[in-house]
Amino acid sequence: MRQLFQDLRNWVIVGLLCLVLSWSLPVQAASRISPKLEEQVLQILREHPDVIIDSVQVYQQQQQEQVNQIRQAFLQDLKTNPQAVIGDSPTTNATQSKAVVVEFSDFQCPYCAKAHDTLKQLLAKHPGEITLVYKHLPLIPIHNEAMPAAKAAWAATQQGKFWEYHDALFTNQKQLGETLYLDIAKKLNLDLEKFNSDRLLADAAISKDIQIAQKLAIAGTPFFIMNSKNFSGGIELSEIENKLAEAS
């Protein structure tokens, strides 16, 4: 009986994952999970809830440790070789600034619009001290204009007008849509033919930013990473000035 319990403990997580799949993807999982297996797993949960609680806690801890390692590696790269992290992303100021702040943002996110206003004030208050790096993280499931706006901004980048376009998108966030994208392009005197063709080519660059965010387990926007020793995930804008002082 003890051996049986130990065996069940070893595969209970697998069984539960199967159950999760059966609830979320019933058509695909139906052929894999028998009612008998399902009842066995549920019986284990009823009789020994501590087993799954312990197992889930261990799993969560392992996942968090993995995320922390990835984030620390990203931060180390940002400290030692910022250009490798920045890549082709738009930046303000030279990367020789004492602080590099990487922002993951969504043009349709109201919190990002608020952060945009605060960032402008911060950059004006500390001219030349901060390099702001913009990474696209459109929250596609909840913001239907996030990706089109990101593509338009990327297209503007190809003509050297990212920040102007970026500011106009946040200023007119409630009007996001094709009409606005073209109006901004016209006001910035962009080559419209190139602008429209570049929008069709933006997916790869935006997807690259999204993949970085996924590796870092970034779940929402705005999200900031700064080349400071005190990295703990997202950084509140109010904290950046303190970190600037630490970097001095």
PDB file of all heavy atoms in Angstrom, residues 19-55:
ATOM      1  N   LEU A  19      -5.802  16.116 -16.524  1.00  0.00           N
ATOM      2  CA  LEU A  19      -7.149  16.600 -16.220  1.00  0.00           C
ATOM      3  C   LEU A  19      -7.339  18.029 -16.695  1.00  0.00           C
ATOM      4  O   LEU A  19      -8.374  18.384 -17.250  1.00  0.00           O
ATOM      5  CB  LEU A  19      -7.402  16.526 -14.716  1.00  0.00           C
ATOM      6  CG  LEU A  19      -7.746  15.156 -14.152  1.00  0.00           C
ATOM      7  CD1 LEU A  19      -7.964  15.276 -12.647  1.00  0.00           C
ATOM      8  CD2 LEU A  19      -8.973  14.587 -14.829  1.00  0.00           C
ATOM      9  N   VAL A  20      -6.315  18.851 -16.452  1.00  0.00           N
ATOM     10  CA  VAL A  20      -6.409  20.239 -16.908  1.00  0.00           C
ATOM     11  C   VAL A  20      -6.590  20.281 -18.408  1.00  0.00           C
ATOM     12  O   VAL A  20      -7.397  21.039 -18.941  1.00  0.00           O
ATOM     13  CB  VAL A  20      -5.148  21.023 -16.499  1.00  0.00           C
ATOM     14  CG1 VAL A  20      -5.143  22.395 -17.154  1.00  0.00           C
ATOM     15  CG2 VAL A  20      -5.092  21.162 -14.988  1.00  0.00           C
ATOM     16  N   LEU A  21      -5.822  19.445 -19.109  1.00  0.00           N
ATOM     17  CA  LEU A  21      -5.969  19.393 -20.553  1.00  0.00           C
ATOM     18  C   LEU A  21      -7.355  18.924 -20.951  1.00  0.00           C
ATOM     19  O   LEU A  21      -7.941  19.405 -21.917  1.00  0.00           O
ATOM     20  CB  LEU A  21      -4.908  18.450 -21.151  1.00  0.00           C
ATOM     21  CG  LEU A  21      -3.474  18.999 -21.195  1.00  0.00           C
ATOM     22  CD1 LEU A  21      -2.528  17.921 -21.673  1.00  0.00           C
ATOM     23  CD2 LEU A  21      -3.412  20.214 -22.112  1.00  0.00           C
ATOM     24  N   SER A  22      -7.887  17.976 -20.205  1.00  0.00           N
ATOM     25  CA  SER A  22      -9.210  17.460 -20.555  1.00  0.00           C
ATOM     26  C   SER A  22     -10.282  18.516 -20.363  1.00  0.00           C
ATOM     27  O   SER A  22     -11.273  18.551 -21.081  1.00  0.00           O
ATOM     28  CB  SER A  22      -9.535  16.226 -19.702  1.00  0.00           C
ATOM     29  OG  SER A  22      -9.769  16.594 -18.356  1.00  0.00           O
ATOM     30  N   TRP A  23     -10.045  19.423 -19.379  1.00  0.00           N
ATOM     31  CA  TRP A  23     -11.042  20.480 -19.153  1.00  0.00           C
ATOM     32  C   TRP A  23     -10.891  21.602 -20.168  1.00  0.00           C
ATOM     33  O   TRP A  23     -11.847  22.238 -20.571  1.00  0.00           O
ATOM     34  CB  TRP A  23     -10.884  21.028 -17.733  1.00  0.00           C
ATOM     35  CG  TRP A  23     -11.227  20.014 -16.680  1.00  0.00           C
ATOM     36  CD1 TRP A  23     -12.147  19.013 -16.758  1.00  0.00           C
ATOM     37  CD2 TRP A  23     -10.613  19.875 -15.393  1.00  0.00           C
ATOM     38  NE1 TRP A  23     -12.145  18.273 -15.612  1.00  0.00           N
ATOM     39  CE2 TRP A  23     -11.224  18.771 -14.750  1.00  0.00           C
ATOM     40  CE3 TRP A  23      -9.609  20.584 -14.728  1.00  0.00           C
ATOM     41  CZ2 TRP A  23     -10.869  18.363 -13.474  1.00  0.00           C
ATOM     42  CZ3 TRP A  23      -9.255  20.170 -13.463  1.00  0.00           C
ATOM     43  CH2 TRP A  23      -9.876  19.075 -12.843  1.00  0.00           C
ATOM     44  N   SER A  24      -9.642  21.884 -20.575  1.00  0.00           N
ATOM     45  CA  SER A  24      -9.427  22.999 -21.492  1.00  0.00           C
ATOM     46  C   SER A  24      -9.470  22.585 -22.955  1.00  0.00           C
ATOM     47  O   SER A  24      -9.842  23.364 -23.816  1.00  0.00           O
ATOM     48  CB  SER A  24      -8.078  23.658 -21.206  1.00  0.00           C
ATOM     49  OG  SER A  24      -7.036  22.722 -21.359  1.00  0.00           O
ATOM     50  N   LEU A  25      -9.053  21.332 -23.243  1.00  0.00           N
ATOM     51  CA  LEU A  25      -9.071  20.839 -24.615  1.00  0.00           C
ATOM     52  C   LEU A  25      -9.759  19.484 -24.666  1.00  0.00           C
ATOM     53  O   LEU A  25      -9.141  18.467 -24.946  1.00  0.00           O
ATOM     54  CB  LEU A  25      -7.625  20.710 -25.137  1.00  0.00           C
ATOM     55  CG  LEU A  25      -6.800  22.007 -25.155  1.00  0.00           C
ATOM     56  CD1 LEU A  25      -5.347  21.686 -25.479  1.00  0.00           C
ATOM     57  CD2 LEU A  25      -7.366  22.969 -26.186  1.00  0.00           C
ATOM     58  N   PRO A  26     -11.046  19.422 -24.400  1.00  0.00           N
ATOM     59  CA  PRO A  26     -11.732  18.154 -24.264  1.00  0.00           C
ATOM     60  C   PRO A  26     -11.694  17.287 -25.509  1.00  0.00           C
ATOM     61  O   PRO A  26     -11.614  16.074 -25.430  1.00  0.00           O
ATOM     62  CB  PRO A  26     -13.173  18.575 -23.928  1.00  0.00           C
ATOM     63  CG  PRO A  26     -13.278  19.979 -24.417  1.00  0.00           C
ATOM     64  CD  PRO A  26     -11.930  20.574 -24.240  1.00  0.00           C
ATOM     65  N   VAL A  27     -11.694  17.890 -26.678  1.00  0.00           N
ATOM     66  CA  VAL A  27     -11.720  17.094 -27.902  1.00  0.00           C
ATOM     67  C   VAL A  27     -10.414  16.350 -28.077  1.00  0.00           C
ATOM     68  O   VAL A  27     -10.381  15.163 -28.404  1.00  0.00           O
ATOM     69  CB  VAL A  27     -11.966  18.012 -29.123  1.00  0.00           C
ATOM     70  CG1 VAL A  27     -11.868  17.200 -30.401  1.00  0.00           C
ATOM     71  CG2 VAL A  27     -13.337  18.653 -29.009  1.00  0.00           C
ATOM     72  N   GLN A  28      -9.297  17.046 -27.831  1.00  0.00           N
ATOM     73  CA  GLN A  28      -8.001  16.413 -28.001  1.00  0.00           C
ATOM     74  C   GLN A  28      -7.694  15.429 -26.877  1.00  0.00           C
ATOM     75  O   GLN A  28      -7.048  14.418 -27.089  1.00  0.00           O
ATOM     76  CB  GLN A  28      -6.905  17.467 -28.047  1.00  0.00           C
ATOM     77  CG  GLN A  28      -7.016  18.401 -29.250  1.00  0.00           C
ATOM     78  CD  GLN A  28      -5.892  19.411 -29.262  1.00  0.00           C
ATOM     79  OE1 GLN A  28      -4.888  19.250 -28.573  1.00  0.00           O
ATOM     80  NE2 GLN A  28      -6.055  20.455 -30.050  1.00  0.00           N
ATOM     81  N   ALA A  29      -8.140  15.747 -25.677  1.00  0.00           N
ATOM     82  CA  ALA A  29      -7.750  14.935 -24.523  1.00  0.00           C
ATOM     83  C   ALA A  29      -8.661  13.746 -24.296  1.00  0.00           C
ATOM     84  O   ALA A  29      -8.311  12.815 -23.584  1.00  0.00           O
ATOM     85  CB  ALA A  29      -7.735  15.802 -23.272  1.00  0.00           C
ATOM     86  N   ALA A  30      -9.821  13.755 -24.901  1.00  0.00           N
ATOM     87  CA  ALA A  30     -10.800  12.717 -24.635  1.00  0.00           C
ATOM     88  C   ALA A  30     -10.260  11.330 -24.943  1.00  0.00           C
ATOM     89  O   ALA A  30     -10.568  10.354 -24.258  1.00  0.00           O
ATOM     90  CB  ALA A  30     -12.065  12.984 -25.445  1.00  0.00           C
ATOM     91  N   SER A  31      -9.433  11.233 -25.984  1.00  0.00           N
ATOM     92  CA  SER A  31      -8.918   9.931 -26.368  1.00  0.00           C
ATOM     93  C   SER A  31      -7.770   9.475 -25.483  1.00  0.00           C
ATOM     94  O   SER A  31      -7.345   8.336 -25.558  1.00  0.00           O
ATOM     95  CB  SER A  31      -8.442   9.976 -27.833  1.00  0.00           C
ATOM     96  OG  SER A  31      -7.409  10.922 -27.968  1.00  0.00           O
ATOM     97  N   ARG A  32      -7.264  10.368 -24.633  1.00  0.00           N
ATOM     98  CA  ARG A  32      -6.099  10.030 -23.819  1.00  0.00           C
ATOM     99  C   ARG A  32      -6.473   9.685 -22.377  1.00  0.00           C
ATOM    100  O   ARG A  32      -5.734   9.009 -21.695  1.00  0.00           O
ATOM    101  CB  ARG A  32      -5.125  11.212 -23.797  1.00  0.00           C
ATOM    102  CG  ARG A  32      -4.686  11.693 -25.166  1.00  0.00           C
ATOM    103  CD  ARG A  32      -3.791  12.896 -25.008  1.00  0.00           C
ATOM    104  NE  ARG A  32      -3.539  13.553 -26.283  1.00  0.00           N
ATOM    105  CZ  ARG A  32      -2.895  14.697 -26.408  1.00  0.00           C
ATOM    106  NH1 ARG A  32      -2.461  15.313 -25.327  1.00  0.00           N
ATOM    107  NH2 ARG A  32      -2.706  15.244 -27.588  1.00  0.00           N
ATOM    108  N   ILE A  33      -7.542  10.215 -21.865  1.00  0.00           N
ATOM    109  CA  ILE A  33      -7.856  10.086 -20.451  1.00  0.00           C
ATOM    110  C   ILE A  33      -9.137   9.274 -20.272  1.00  0.00           C
ATOM    111  O   ILE A  33     -10.185   9.620 -20.802  1.00  0.00           O
ATOM    112  CB  ILE A  33      -8.052  11.477 -19.813  1.00  0.00           C
ATOM    113  CG1 ILE A  33      -6.796  12.312 -20.039  1.00  0.00           C
ATOM    114  CG2 ILE A  33      -8.340  11.363 -18.337  1.00  0.00           C
ATOM    115  CD1 ILE A  33      -6.955  13.740 -19.605  1.00  0.00           C
ATOM    116  N   SER A  34      -9.010   8.230 -19.495  1.00  0.00           N
ATOM    117  CA  SER A  34     -10.182   7.386 -19.248  1.00  0.00           C
ATOM    118  C   SER A  34     -10.912   7.879 -18.012  1.00  0.00           C
ATOM    119  O   SER A  34     -10.309   8.473 -17.112  1.00  0.00           O
ATOM    120  CB  SER A  34      -9.736   5.942 -19.040  1.00  0.00           C
ATOM    121  OG  SER A  34      -9.025   5.819 -17.827  1.00  0.00           O
ATOM    122  N   PRO A  35     -12.204   7.645 -17.921  1.00  0.00           N
ATOM    123  CA  PRO A  35     -12.953   8.031 -16.717  1.00  0.00           C
ATOM    124  C   PRO A  35     -12.381   7.394 -15.453  1.00  0.00           C
ATOM    125  O   PRO A  35     -12.409   7.994 -14.382  1.00  0.00           O
ATOM    126  CB  PRO A  35     -14.362   7.527 -17.011  1.00  0.00           C
ATOM    127  CG  PRO A  35     -14.445   7.499 -18.505  1.00  0.00           C
ATOM    128  CD  PRO A  35     -13.073   7.094 -18.967  1.00  0.00           C
ATOM    129  N   LYS A  36     -11.844   6.180 -15.589  1.00  0.00           N
ATOM    130  CA  LYS A  36     -11.278   5.493 -14.436  1.00  0.00           C
ATOM    131  C   LYS A  36     -10.065   6.248 -13.898  1.00  0.00           C
ATOM    132  O   LYS A  36      -9.921   6.437 -12.682  1.00  0.00           O
ATOM    133  CB  LYS A  36     -10.883   4.069 -14.814  1.00  0.00           C
ATOM    134  CG  LYS A  36     -10.354   3.260 -13.634  1.00  0.00           C
ATOM    135  CD  LYS A  36     -10.042   1.838 -14.056  1.00  0.00           C
ATOM    136  CE  LYS A  36      -9.513   1.018 -12.872  1.00  0.00           C
ATOM    137  NZ  LYS A  36      -9.206  -0.382 -13.270  1.00  0.00           N
ATOM    138  N   LEU A  37      -9.172   6.686 -14.815  1.00  0.00           N
ATOM    139  CA  LEU A  37      -8.002   7.447 -14.403  1.00  0.00           C
ATOM    140  C   LEU A  37      -8.423   8.750 -13.741  1.00  0.00           C
ATOM    141  O   LEU A  37      -7.870   9.145 -12.706  1.00  0.00           O
ATOM    142  CB  LEU A  37      -7.110   7.743 -15.604  1.00  0.00           C
ATOM    143  CG  LEU A  37      -5.922   8.694 -15.350  1.00  0.00           C
ATOM    144  CD1 LEU A  37      -4.991   8.130 -14.295  1.00  0.00           C
ATOM    145  CD2 LEU A  37      -5.172   8.973 -16.646  1.00  0.00           C
ATOM    146  N   GLU A  38      -9.383   9.404 -14.302  1.00  0.00           N
ATOM    147  CA  GLU A  38      -9.857  10.658 -13.743  1.00  0.00           C
ATOM    148  C   GLU A  38     -10.382  10.465 -12.324  1.00  0.00           C
ATOM    149  O   GLU A  38     -10.084  11.238 -11.420  1.00  0.00           O
ATOM    150  CB  GLU A  38     -10.947  11.252 -14.636  1.00  0.00           C
ATOM    151  CG  GLU A  38     -11.469  12.593 -14.155  1.00  0.00           C
ATOM    152  CD  GLU A  38     -12.468  13.202 -15.122  1.00  0.00           C
ATOM    153  OE1 GLU A  38     -12.459  12.819 -16.303  1.00  0.00           O
ATOM    154  OE2 GLU A  38     -13.254  14.061 -14.676  1.00  0.00           O
ATOM    155  N   GLU A  39     -11.154   9.403 -12.122  1.00  0.00           N
ATOM    156  CA  GLU A  39     -11.709   9.139 -10.799  1.00  0.00           C
ATOM    157  C   GLU A  39     -10.617   8.797  -9.803  1.00  0.00           C
ATOM    158  O   GLU A  39     -10.663   9.202  -8.642  1.00  0.00           O
ATOM    159  CB  GLU A  39     -12.717   7.989 -10.889  1.00  0.00           C
ATOM    160  CG  GLU A  39     -13.342   7.597  -9.553  1.00  0.00           C
ATOM    161  CD  GLU A  39     -14.015   8.787  -8.856  1.00  0.00           C
ATOM    162  OE1 GLU A  39     -14.590   9.652  -9.557  1.00  0.00           O
ATOM    163  OE2 GLU A  39     -13.958   8.852  -7.606  1.00  0.00           O
ATOM    164  N   GLN A  40      -9.585   8.072 -10.258  1.00  0.00           N
ATOM    165  CA  GLN A  40      -8.480   7.733  -9.372  1.00  0.00           C
ATOM    166  C   GLN A  40      -7.748   8.986  -8.893  1.00  0.00           C
ATOM    167  O   GLN A  40      -7.424   9.116  -7.705  1.00  0.00           O
ATOM    168  CB  GLN A  40      -7.492   6.806 -10.098  1.00  0.00           C
ATOM    169  CG  GLN A  40      -8.012   5.388 -10.299  1.00  0.00           C
ATOM    170  CD  GLN A  40      -7.054   4.549 -11.115  1.00  0.00           C
ATOM    171  OE1 GLN A  40      -6.301   5.073 -11.926  1.00  0.00           O
ATOM    172  NE2 GLN A  40      -7.072   3.239 -10.906  1.00  0.00           N
ATOM    173  N   VAL A  41      -7.486   9.886  -9.818  1.00  0.00           N
ATOM    174  CA  VAL A  41      -6.789  11.112  -9.456  1.00  0.00           C
ATOM    175  C   VAL A  41      -7.628  11.951  -8.504  1.00  0.00           C
ATOM    176  O   VAL A  41      -7.138  12.492  -7.508  1.00  0.00           O
ATOM    177  CB  VAL A  41      -6.432  11.924 -10.719  1.00  0.00           C
ATOM    178  CG1 VAL A  41      -5.836  13.280 -10.335  1.00  0.00           C
ATOM    179  CG2 VAL A  41      -5.445  11.146 -11.575  1.00  0.00           C
ATOM    180  N   LEU A  42      -8.919  12.062  -8.793  1.00  0.00           N
ATOM    181  CA  LEU A  42      -9.799  12.835  -7.919  1.00  0.00           C
ATOM    182  C   LEU A  42      -9.890  12.214  -6.534  1.00  0.00           C
ATOM    183  O   LEU A  42      -9.972  12.915  -5.529  1.00  0.00           O
ATOM    184  CB  LEU A  42     -11.194  12.935  -8.553  1.00  0.00           C
ATOM    185  CG  LEU A  42     -11.283  13.815  -9.806  1.00  0.00           C
ATOM    186  CD1 LEU A  42     -12.686  13.723 -10.410  1.00  0.00           C
ATOM    187  CD2 LEU A  42     -10.932  15.251  -9.495  1.00  0.00           C
ATOM    188  N   GLN A  43      -9.867  10.894  -6.474  1.00  0.00           N
ATOM    189  CA  GLN A  43      -9.914  10.207  -5.184  1.00  0.00           C
ATOM    190  C   GLN A  43      -8.663  10.511  -4.373  1.00  0.00           C
ATOM    191  O   GLN A  43      -8.722  10.725  -3.152  1.00  0.00           O
ATOM    192  CB  GLN A  43     -10.048   8.696  -5.399  1.00  0.00           C
ATOM    193  CG  GLN A  43     -10.203   7.887  -4.110  1.00  0.00           C
ATOM    194  CD  GLN A  43     -11.493   8.233  -3.368  1.00  0.00           C
ATOM    195  OE1 GLN A  43     -12.486   8.635  -3.996  1.00  0.00           O
ATOM    196  NE2 GLN A  43     -11.491   8.081  -2.052  1.00  0.00           N
ATOM    197  N   ILE A  44      -7.508  10.543  -5.051  1.00  0.00           N
ATOM    198  CA  ILE A  44      -6.263  10.885  -4.368  1.00  0.00           C
ATOM    199  C   ILE A  44      -6.345  12.291  -3.789  1.00  0.00           C
ATOM    200  O   ILE A  44      -5.934  12.554  -2.658  1.00  0.00           O
ATOM    201  CB  ILE A  44      -5.064  10.783  -5.327  1.00  0.00           C
ATOM    202  CG1 ILE A  44      -4.838   9.325  -5.739  1.00  0.00           C
ATOM    203  CG2 ILE A  44      -3.793  11.354  -4.694  1.00  0.00           C
ATOM    204  CD1 ILE A  44      -3.823   9.168  -6.846  1.00  0.00           C
ATOM    205  N   LEU A  45      -6.897  13.209  -4.575  1.00  0.00           N
ATOM    206  CA  LEU A  45      -7.027  14.586  -4.110  1.00  0.00           C
ATOM    207  C   LEU A  45      -7.918  14.681  -2.890  1.00  0.00           C
ATOM    208  O   LEU A  45      -7.639  15.440  -1.951  1.00  0.00           O
ATOM    209  CB  LEU A  45      -7.597  15.461  -5.229  1.00  0.00           C
ATOM    210  CG  LEU A  45      -6.655  15.773  -6.392  1.00  0.00           C
ATOM    211  CD1 LEU A  45      -7.395  16.570  -7.466  1.00  0.00           C
ATOM    212  CD2 LEU A  45      -5.461  16.554  -5.917  1.00  0.00           C
ATOM    213  N   ARG A  46      -9.000  13.902  -2.894  1.00  0.00           N
ATOM    214  CA  ARG A  46      -9.930  13.947  -1.763  1.00  0.00           C
ATOM    215  C   ARG A  46      -9.288  13.384  -0.500  1.00  0.00           C
ATOM    216  O   ARG A  46      -9.493  13.902   0.605  1.00  0.00           O
ATOM    217  CB  ARG A  46     -11.204  13.175  -2.104  1.00  0.00           C
ATOM    218  CG  ARG A  46     -12.132  13.898  -3.081  1.00  0.00           C
ATOM    219  CD  ARG A  46     -13.479  13.208  -3.176  1.00  0.00           C
ATOM    220  NE  ARG A  46     -13.381  11.925  -3.853  1.00  0.00           N
ATOM    221  CZ  ARG A  46     -13.604  11.738  -5.156  1.00  0.00           C
ATOM    222  NH1 ARG A  46     -13.920  12.791  -5.912  1.00  0.00           N
ATOM    223  NH2 ARG A  46     -13.511  10.560  -5.700  1.00  0.00           N
ATOM    224  N   GLU A  47      -8.514  12.323  -0.642  1.00  0.00           N
ATOM    225  CA  GLU A  47      -7.955  11.634   0.515  1.00  0.00           C
ATOM    226  C   GLU A  47      -6.620  12.233   0.970  1.00  0.00           C
ATOM    227  O   GLU A  47      -6.280  12.170   2.149  1.00  0.00           O
ATOM    228  CB  GLU A  47      -7.767  10.147   0.190  1.00  0.00           C
ATOM    229  CG  GLU A  47      -9.093   9.412  -0.062  1.00  0.00           C
ATOM    230  CD  GLU A  47      -8.861   7.954  -0.403  1.00  0.00           C
ATOM    231  OE1 GLU A  47      -7.679   7.534  -0.468  1.00  0.00           O
ATOM    232  OE2 GLU A  47      -9.869   7.231  -0.596  1.00  0.00           O
ATOM    233  N   HIS A  48      -5.866  12.789   0.019  1.00  0.00           N
ATOM    234  CA  HIS A  48      -4.528  13.293   0.359  1.00  0.00           C
ATOM    235  C   HIS A  48      -4.296  14.655  -0.309  1.00  0.00           C
ATOM    236  O   HIS A  48      -3.418  14.794  -1.169  1.00  0.00           O
ATOM    237  CB  HIS A  48      -3.449  12.299  -0.108  1.00  0.00           C
ATOM    238  CG  HIS A  48      -3.640  10.910   0.406  1.00  0.00           C
ATOM    239  ND1 HIS A  48      -3.358  10.545   1.703  1.00  0.00           N
ATOM    240  CD2 HIS A  48      -4.126   9.794  -0.209  1.00  0.00           C
ATOM    241  CE1 HIS A  48      -3.631   9.252   1.861  1.00  0.00           C
ATOM    242  NE2 HIS A  48      -4.098   8.782   0.723  1.00  0.00           N
ATOM    243  N   PRO A  49      -5.035  15.666   0.075  1.00  0.00           N
ATOM    244  CA  PRO A  49      -4.851  16.988  -0.548  1.00  0.00           C
ATOM    245  C   PRO A  49      -3.459  17.552  -0.333  1.00  0.00           C
ATOM    246  O   PRO A  49      -2.991  18.366  -1.120  1.00  0.00           O
ATOM    247  CB  PRO A  49      -5.911  17.853   0.140  1.00  0.00           C
ATOM    248  CG  PRO A  49      -6.188  17.151   1.440  1.00  0.00           C
ATOM    249  CD  PRO A  49      -6.053  15.692   1.142  1.00  0.00           C
ATOM    250  N   ASP A  50      -2.780  17.117   0.739  1.00  0.00           N
ATOM    251  CA  ASP A  50      -1.443  17.631   1.001  1.00  0.00           C
ATOM    252  C   ASP A  50      -0.461  17.230  -0.079  1.00  0.00           C
ATOM    253  O   ASP A  50       0.531  17.941  -0.334  1.00  0.00           O
ATOM    254  CB  ASP A  50      -0.946  17.116   2.358  1.00  0.00           C
ATOM    255  CG  ASP A  50      -0.928  15.590   2.403  1.00  0.00           C
ATOM    256  OD1 ASP A  50      -1.991  14.981   2.153  1.00  0.00           O
ATOM    257  OD2 ASP A  50       0.140  15.023   2.693  1.00  0.00           O
ATOM    258  N   VAL A  51      -0.718  16.106  -0.755  1.00  0.00           N
ATOM    259  CA  VAL A  51       0.186  15.635  -1.800  1.00  0.00           C
ATOM    260  C   VAL A  51       0.251  16.644  -2.933  1.00  0.00           C
ATOM    261  O   VAL A  51       1.331  17.069  -3.357  1.00  0.00           O
ATOM    262  CB  VAL A  51      -0.265  14.261  -2.338  1.00  0.00           C
ATOM    263  CG1 VAL A  51       0.606  13.849  -3.532  1.00  0.00           C
ATOM    264  CG2 VAL A  51      -0.183  13.215  -1.241  1.00  0.00           C
ATOM    265  N   ILE A  52      -0.918  17.031  -3.433  1.00  0.00           N
ATOM    266  CA  ILE A  52      -0.938  17.954  -4.563  1.00  0.00           C
ATOM    267  C   ILE A  52      -0.500  19.345  -4.144  1.00  0.00           C
ATOM    268  O   ILE A  52       0.174  20.055  -4.893  1.00  0.00           O
ATOM    269  CB  ILE A  52      -2.340  17.991  -5.216  1.00  0.00           C
ATOM    270  CG1 ILE A  52      -2.282  18.795  -6.509  1.00  0.00           C
ATOM    271  CG2 ILE A  52      -3.375  18.551  -4.272  1.00  0.00           C
ATOM    272  CD1 ILE A  52      -1.318  18.287  -7.534  1.00  0.00           C
ATOM    273  N   ILE A  53      -0.831  19.752  -2.928  1.00  0.00           N
ATOM    274  CA  ILE A  53      -0.407  21.068  -2.453  1.00  0.00           C
ATOM    275  C   ILE A  53       1.113  21.147  -2.412  1.00  0.00           C
ATOM    276  O   ILE A  53       1.715  22.105  -2.908  1.00  0.00           O
ATOM    277  CB  ILE A  53      -1.004  21.363  -1.060  1.00  0.00           C
ATOM    278  CG1 ILE A  53      -2.523  21.537  -1.169  1.00  0.00           C
ATOM    279  CG2 ILE A  53      -0.372  22.621  -0.470  1.00  0.00           C
ATOM    280  CD1 ILE A  53      -3.213  21.680   0.168  1.00  0.00           C
ATOM    281  N   ASP A  54       1.732  20.121  -1.842  1.00  0.00           N
ATOM    282  CA  ASP A  54       3.192  20.089  -1.783  1.00  0.00           C
ATOM    283  C   ASP A  54       3.798  20.075  -3.185  1.00  0.00           C
ATOM    284  O   ASP A  54       4.775  20.771  -3.478  1.00  0.00           O
ATOM    285  CB  ASP A  54       3.670  18.865  -1.008  1.00  0.00           C
ATOM    286  CG  ASP A  54       3.326  18.950   0.477  1.00  0.00           C
ATOM    287  OD1 ASP A  54       2.992  20.061   0.933  1.00  0.00           O
ATOM    288  OD2 ASP A  54       3.374  17.914   1.152  1.00  0.00           O
ATOM    289  N   SER A  55       3.209  19.256  -4.048  1.00  0.00           N
ATOM    290  CA  SER A  55       3.743  19.114  -5.401  1.00  0.00           C
ATOM    291  C   SER A  55       3.627  20.413  -6.179  1.00  0.00           C
ATOM    292  O   SER A  55       4.555  20.822  -6.885  1.00  0.00           O
ATOM    293  CB  SER A  55       3.014  17.998  -6.150  1.00  0.00           C
ATOM    294  OG  SER A  55       3.182  16.763  -5.495  1.00  0.00           O
TER     295      SER A  55
END
